Amino acid sequence: PTCTPVAVNTCMRMLQSAASKAADLAADGHDMHHFEAACHRMGQHLAVMSAARAHALAQEFELPPPGGSLSAEQAGYRLPTGVIPRLPHPTSEGGGLPAAQSRAMENL
């Protein structure tokens, strides 16, 4: 599906503009029943096309089922790599609570 967000927004703006003009004609006494139904169908069609595109794009990010025939690595997924630094050892510097609060404020 090629129903991009920009295209959907453009179509919806045109549809809104046409519906606004149709409302003016309906206020003048013209029968706009069929036009209203066509606008409604077009809005529904745009919603379906947009949802199909979103679903197709989301399928690229689906994980394999647990216990499936392919492992995550065979399916192209890898665990993140890197090294997490160790936590610094707590220090017992002098000064008590006021000094610890002062150091905390400096770290903010």
Side-chain angles (χ1 to χ4, degrees), residues 7 17 21 39 53 65 76 79 82-83:
S17 177
K21 299 293 183 188
C39 287
R53 181 176 190 273
L79 291 174
V83 177

Side-chain angles (χ1 to χ4, degrees), residues 80-86:
T81 59
V83 177
I84 298 175
R86 294 187 182 272

Side-chain angles (χ1 to χ4, degrees), residues 81-99:
T81 59
V83 177
I84 298 175
R86 294 187 182 272
L87 290 174
H89 293 289
T91 58
S92 58
E93 297 175 9
L97 181 61

